[in-house]
């Protein structure tokens, strides 16, 4: 158990998984970084850089990349899950038989599963049969965290003691970690904000200015809270770092892939072309599809998501969507 | 009274007063645009452009500039007050004797008076002895509204019927107007967000990235709500267009003067030099001073404002302030 205590496994070598590995390694932790691509794992170990998903950062010696997921999790006290949401369930199934008792599992995945409408932590819990899965979310653009710029995030867990242990694992002078008991609220903020980021990108692509973007942001947050309430979260959580905070950074950062999807589509590109040209995943695209189904089925008023969905999947003219949003009946706020 | 009905006076020929005049004039309203500077009024009437405060926009024929404030208000059914907050009381005193019964007064001023801690609408009410003064606030960068880009705002008044009449006066297809009964909440959002915009500019000036800015934004909103509650407002109003919405646009827009003050100070300029080089007023500077007094006197925890105040007025090193904010004890959010 002592060897375990100092070892953390990060599942997923995307930008965020890699940035968190760097942060942990710099704190002296030994990190197993699992990649779904054997050639990537080799490349990382050879070059001490993740050239594919987070280039420009040299990885400390105590990060070891590996491509066998069972080997990667075998001797770690803490497992950080950083797998894109639509690969999550099939990846996690591969470690079903491993004994996770006494270990901490933390998800940093942002999305909602298409058909089941499950949050990532629910999928992990279900597949692994563990009692609790913590989540970490907030305004944490990977590139900036890897550069050591200041950032703050929230770790939520039903098990308060586990949240505090994880807080101690991740906190640094520049990476501030708050704790929360509202797993659903923290997780939904991270997933839903990607939809508003796409809308915000559409607005940018049409050069509609800061006022329009601010209005989308504000009304978008109202929509996010509506769905969060329906899904059992505390809407107040959406006012925190994992809601508003993450929404701000995604809407303004040049690194936001979801914002870029919206921008490209507003400039006339086709969705399949945009996604084919992206090395990484824009989670908001699939989340928008899930949210469209949930909101339709349950009569939840989510006009921004509805417009984003129709632009992404129904070929609707982006300019028409914005005008439709603006022309909704004026009423008390 | 019929002549009056079609006439609106805008007091103040700054960027926002001018943009609102253009919006109203394009709706067919005759506008008296009062300037405190006779040479500006002449210039506007001659060139049909406000070259000093909102250059690049030709003013419709039905805007008449004037520099006699009593003449300007004499025959208008609606008075829009768009005077910088620290000139407000002395300007309004000049029209004390005018009969305002049956007329609508709307303030778009954003600030808090230094010694009295009064909001602009309270100053106007007090000086003119009128029963109600409405306020308009929200994410409305003047330049964008003048260009006809989409925007949304909130008009609040204790008198619901007056709020609805004003909504009809201002609304267009691209300028959406919501109504509210929370005058204090709407007005405080507009004033307090300027302080966070300065902090956000400091963060930009130090190139700290989107994550830090998002954290400042989120924690800043918490502070704004704390003061709003103390001053009798509904904190929920701060989640709307006049709170979060205005905060977003001020933190991201290249036109935000308050953000620019923060940015310049972080890059080593001195406050008096920055302010001397600005044609227009950065309201957040004085608001920060007012808020510093209020929060100190009443034990309201406002760490971001405290740091902004110390950078602006006490020569504190901007980099030290950000680290101080980041290093505050980690706790439940």
């Amino acid at each position: 158990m002592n060897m375990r205590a100092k070892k953390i496994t990060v599942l997923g070598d995307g930008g965020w998984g890699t940035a968190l590995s760097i942060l942990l390694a710099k704190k002296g932790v030994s990190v197993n970084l699992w990649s779904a691509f054997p050639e990537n794992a080799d490349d990382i170990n050879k070059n001490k850089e993740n050239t594919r998903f987070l280039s420009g950062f040299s990885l400390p010696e105590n990060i070891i990349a590996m491509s066998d997921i069972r080997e990667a999790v075998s001797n770690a006290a803490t497992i950080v899950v950083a797998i894109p949401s639509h690969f999550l369930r099939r990846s996690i199934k591969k470690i079903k038989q491993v004994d996770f008792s006494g270990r901490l599992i933390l998800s940093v995945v942002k999305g909602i599963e298409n058909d089941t409408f499950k949050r990532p932590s629910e999928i992990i819990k279900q597949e692994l049969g563990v009692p609790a899965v913590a989540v970490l979310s907030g305004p944490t653009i990977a590139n900036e965290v890897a550069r050591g710029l200041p950032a703050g995030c929230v770790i939520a867990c039903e098990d308060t003691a586990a949240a505090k242990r994880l807080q101690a694992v991740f906190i640094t002078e520049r990476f501030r970690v708050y704790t929360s008991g509202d797993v659903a609220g923290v997780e939904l903020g991270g997933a839903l904000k990607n939809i508003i980021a796409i809308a915000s990108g559409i607005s940018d692509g049409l050069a509609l200015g800061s006022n329009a973007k601010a209005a989308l942001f504000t009304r978008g947050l109202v929509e996010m809270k509506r769905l969060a309430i329906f899904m059992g979260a505390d809407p107040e959580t959406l006012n925190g770092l994992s809601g508003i905070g993450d929404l701000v950074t995604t809407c303004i950062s040049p690194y936001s892939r979801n914002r870029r999807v919206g921008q490209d589509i507003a400039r006339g590109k086709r969705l399949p072309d945009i996604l084919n040209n992206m090395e990484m995943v824009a989670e908001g695209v699939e989340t928008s599809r899930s949210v469209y189904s949930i909101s339709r089925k349950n009569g939840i008023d989510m006009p921004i998501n509805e417009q984003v969905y129709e632009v992404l999947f129904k070929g609707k003219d982006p300019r028409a969507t914005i005008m439709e949003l603006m022309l909704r009946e004026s009423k008390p706020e």
Side-chain angles (χ1 to χ4, degrees), chain A:
Chain A
M1 268 310 268
N2 233 10
M3 257 194 64
R4 260 197 198 175
K6 292 193 172 159
K7 197 170 276 285
I8 294 183
T9 292
V10 176
L11 297 180
D13 62 343
W16 191 212
T18 307
L20 284 173
S21 299
I22 294 174
L23 181 143
L24 292 168
K26 285 192 174 161
K27 287 189 75 177
V29 175
S30 294
V31 178
N32 291 341
L33 177 57
W34 174 74
S35 172
F37 315 99
E39 67 280 13
N40 253 39
D42 291 345
D43 192 61
I44 290 171
N45 288 331
K46 207 173 68 191
N47 302 319
K48 291 290 162 197
E49 181 184 350
N50 185 345
T51 47
R52 183 162 174 198
F53 295 124
L54 193 74
S55 64
F57 298 95
S58 79
L59 306 190
E61 288 294 328
N62 47 348
I63 297 178
I64 308 291
M66 40 188 78
S67 57
D68 181 328
I69 193 167
R70 291 178 59 94
E71 183 196 341
V73 298
S74 65
N75 64 346
T78 302
I79 322 279
V80 178
V81 185
I83 298 167
S85 64
H86 59 282
F87 299 124
L88 179 61
R89 194 181 285 272
R90 75 185 92 154
S91 301
I92 291 297
K93 274 184 192 295
K94 293 181 187 156
I95 50 171
K96 248 177 167 357
Q97 313 312 330
V98 175
D99 175 16
F100 288 100
S101 54
R103 311 215 229 167
L104 295 172
I105 302 179
L106 174 76
S107 164
V108 301
V109 184
K110 296 179 176 180
I112 300 176
E113 200 171 36
N114 271 337
D115 300 317
T116 66
F117 307 147
K118 293 281 184 208
R119 294 178 277 108
S121 71
E122 293 178 305
I123 295 171
I124 299 168
K125 249 168 104 166
Q126 189 186 8
E127 292 294 340
L128 300 185
V130 292
V133 170
V135 300
L136 179 156
S137 198
T140 51
I141 297 282
N143 186 292
E144 296 184 5
V145 173
R147 281 161 66 199
L149 292 173
C153 70
V154 186
I155 289 180
C157 193
E158 294 157 34
D159 173 350
T160 314
K164 288 204 168 145
R165 279 163 65 199
L166 286 163
Q167 177 184 44
V169 166
F170 285 93
I171 200 163
T172 74
E173 278 220 344
R174 282 154 180 269
F175 190 72
R176 307 310 290 167
V177 181
Y178 296 82
T179 55
S180 162
D182 184 13
V183 179
V186 168
E187 207 165 19
L188 285 170
L192 300 177
K193 68 99 183 24
N194 285 327
I195 297 168
I196 311 304
I198 294 174
S200 166
I202 293 175
S203 178
D204 284 348
L206 299 171
L208 295 180
S210 313
N211 297 340
K213 200 157 142 173
L216 275 175
F217 185 103
T218 311
R219 304 306 301 171
L221 184 65
V222 172
E223 260 182 60
M224 286 168 63
K225 287 181 183 167
R226 259 185 222 135
L227 189 66
I229 291 169
F230 175 78
M231 291 180 85
D234 177 357
E236 192 50 43
T237 303
L238 281 288
N239 288 335
L241 282 172
S242 59
I244 289 177
D246 202 3
L247 186 56
V248 170
T249 199
T250 315
C251 289
I252 63 178
S253 167
Y255 299 105
S256 164
R257 299 188 286 275
N258 294 288
R259 208 185 61 76
R260 202 165 357 123
V261 166
Q263 197 169 291
D264 286 350
I265 222 161
R267 289 175 178 163
K269 290 193 189 162
R270 289 176 55 250
L271 184 62
D273 298 334
I274 297 168
L275 298 182
N276 280 338
N277 283 327
M278 274 190 163
E279 183 63 83
M280 285 185 280
V281 173
E283 289 282 6
V285 175
E286 289 305 318
T287 305
S288 168
R289 199 204 292 271
S290 302
V291 168
Y292 184 80
S293 304
I294 305 172
S295 62
R296 277 287 164 125
K297 266 187 200 148
N298 302 286
I300 305 162
D301 187 31
M302 300 188 74
I304 297 176
N305 183 65
E306 197 160 309
Q307 299 294 330
V308 166
Y309 174 82
E310 291 186 0
V311 168
L312 293 178
F313 299 109
K314 301 288 172 190
K316 186 162 181 178
D317 175 36
R319 192 170 288 271
T321 67
I322 298 288
M323 287 318 290
E324 208 158 299
L325 289 170
M326 291 302 290
L327 292 177
R328 282 164 63 88
E329 193 196 354
S330 281
K331 52 190 172 185
E333 196 178 15

